[in-house]
Amino acid sequence: MEMPLPPLNPHSPSEPVEAPPARQDTPSAAPPVHRFTPCTEPFRWEGVPVTAYQSTPATAADFAGITRQTLFGHGGETIGFEVRYFEIAPGGWSSLECHEHAHAVIGLRGVGKVLLGDTVQTLGFLDLAYIGANCVHRLVNDGPTPFGFLCIVDAKRDRPRRLRPADVPELLDNPALAPLIQRAAVQTTPCPE
Amino acid sequence: MEMPLPPLNPHSPSEPVEAPPARQDTPSAAPPVHRFTPCTEPFRWEGVPVTAYQSTPATAADFAGITRQTLFGHGGETIGFEVRYFEIAPGGWSSLECHEHAHAVIGLRGVGKVLLGDTVQTLGFLDLAYIGANCVHRLVNDGPTPFGFLCIVDAKRDRPRRLRPADVPELLDNPALAPLIQRAAVQTTPCPE
């Protein structure tokens, strides 16, 4: 039976990467594979740029020591979601925010804390956290090593609403939550380039 | 300023899991966190069932030694995607198939091979593979240890079309691809329960 072959890499990433010869893969002009490079800081992938976490913060305490890498979703893929890898350096934190869209979070590196509504959860390797619609949240790295995690979201989503401590007085009253909400604009320990 | 708190866990998973006390998390009736349990086989998460990979194969060689765990998307989450973890035991393989929807694949455990159109790629820890629309594909574990990977897909998607070796004669002619296409119905080495 004759069957036409599918088009090769119909939605190849914008920066295709050749597989290293040592792996003895079959040759291909542009395989849709991005190799993880385990010896770099922060965690990096061949052909995947490290980008700013968000646009410039309104204040120095809005977020600190966090980078973003979009692993899937910015290369013309025909998917309705984005897979991002965020890495928070020791002492850093993400924005305090809420929004209508949900986050699916998977810990990949180190251990961090997640403010989820009125709870705090620790998140380690391959732990899963679901941040539901309109749930106030922030991720914090109070440990000595980088804290990295996947965060998967719908591609079509609302913009996050950034919150200030004064916006969540009920959470500030909780001594377990207050340290995660009131972050000082301290120096983080960036990962070396 | 008074601000209403968001509803807690508005879309909590169907099997919520308490965080272990040792982690000193704040108490909560049903935190939306599923802990990874690193000492189990296959990789498992608290409250996440291990399910069959697909319905019964039409022949014994269609797939072998592969399990599925849906980490996000089957618990009432308001997301337009599903995050699945598949684990292939030594000697096992997934279906040879193609479909309109794309896969975003991330290696998590061990090393496997991915048939991607007319190429073969190896996939190790945190390597990324994009399986585009209508790309013939299969994942194979010819190594001595379990091969596990995340596979993220749109929740709304077409059904896979399972292929037989006779459907892809062009690929069978390639000696690098033929072993991944013609799989014997051998005994795999299942992970212990």
Side-chain angles (χ1 to χ4, degrees), chain A residues 1-8 10-11 19 23 25-28 31-36 43 45 48 71-72 77-81 83 102 104-106 108 116-130 132-136 150 152-154 161 163 166-171 176-177, chain B residues 1-6 8 10-11 19 23 25-28 31-36 43 45 48 71-72 77-81 83 98 102 104-106 108 116-130 132-136 150 152-154 161 163 166-171 176-177:
Chain A
M1 172 187 166
E2 282 290 313
M3 182 185 140
L5 280 178
L8 278 183
H11 308 284
R23 294 192 184 231
D25 297 331
T26 54
S28 174
V33 170
H34 291 260
R35 300 282 169 208
F36 174 61
F43 269 12
W45 289 262
V48 178
L71 306 184
F72 295 99
E77 302 95 329
T78 57
I79 51 179
F81 54 88
V83 181
V105 175
I106 304 175
L108 277 192
L116 272 174
D118 66 353
T119 72
V120 179
Q121 306 287 333
T122 55
L123 201 77
F125 180 64
L126 296 190
D127 285 340
L128 313 176
Y130 175 68
N134 301 310
C135 180
V136 173
L150 297 174
I152 308 158
V153 291
D154 286 325
R161 181 164 63 96
L163 302 173
D167 296 329
V168 287
E170 299 91 339
L171 301 184
L177 308 182
Chain B
M1 171 188 166
E2 281 291 313
M3 181 183 142
L5 280 179
L8 277 184
H11 306 288
R23 293 192 184 234
D25 297 331
T26 54
S28 172
V33 170
H34 290 260
R35 299 284 169 206
F36 174 61
F43 270 11
W45 288 262
V48 178
L71 307 183
F72 295 98
E77 302 95 327
T78 56
I79 52 179
F81 54 88
V83 181
C98 74
V105 175
I106 305 175
L108 277 192
L116 272 174
D118 66 352
T119 72
V120 179
Q121 305 288 334
T122 54
L123 201 77
F125 182 64
L126 297 190
D127 284 339
L128 313 175
Y130 176 67
N134 299 311
C135 180
V136 174
L150 297 174
I152 309 158
V153 290
D154 286 326
R161 182 163 62 96
L163 302 172
D167 297 329
V168 287
E170 299 89 343
L171 302 183
L177 308 182

Side-chain angles (χ1 to χ4, degrees), chain B residues 48-99:
Chain B
V48 178
V50 180
T51 58
Y53 165 61
Q54 289 180 342
S55 54
T56 307
T59 80
D62 280 342
F63 56 84
I66 178 168
T67 58
R68 170 199 298 249
Q69 293 172 79
T70 300
L71 307 183
F72 295 98
H74 282 189
E77 302 95 327
T78 56
I79 52 179
F81 54 88
E82 294 177 9
V83 181
R84 299 95 50 87
Y85 173 76
F86 294 94
E87 192 164 297
I88 306 181
W93 61 89
S94 70
S95 292
L96 181 70
E97 61 182 32
C98 74
H99 37 68

Side-chain angles (χ1 to χ4, degrees), chain A residues 59-143:
Chain A
T59 80
D62 279 343
F63 56 83
I66 178 169
T67 59
R68 172 199 298 247
Q69 293 171 80
T70 301
L71 306 184
F72 295 99
H74 282 189
E77 302 95 329
T78 57
I79 51 179
F81 54 88
E82 295 177 8
V83 181
R84 299 96 49 90
Y85 174 74
F86 294 95
E87 192 164 297
I88 306 181
W93 61 89
S94 69
S95 292
L96 182 70
E97 61 184 32
C98 72
H99 37 68
E100 181 65 27
H101 67 272
H103 286 309
V105 175
I106 304 175
L108 277 192
R109 180 182 201 185
V111 176
K113 291 178 180 171
V114 187
L115 171 72
L116 272 174
D118 66 353
T119 72
V120 179
Q121 306 287 333
T122 55
L123 201 77
F125 180 64
L126 296 190
D127 285 340
L128 313 176
Y130 175 68
I131 302 175
N134 301 310
C135 180
V136 173
H137 60 279
R138 162 172 275 167
L139 292 102
V140 171
N141 184 1
D142 281 339

Side-chain angles (χ1 to χ4, degrees), chain A residues 143-158:
Chain A
T145 60
F147 168 46
F149 55 93
L150 297 174
C151 179
I152 308 158
V153 291
D154 286 325
K156 188 174 179 180
R157 60 188 185 274
D158 61 323

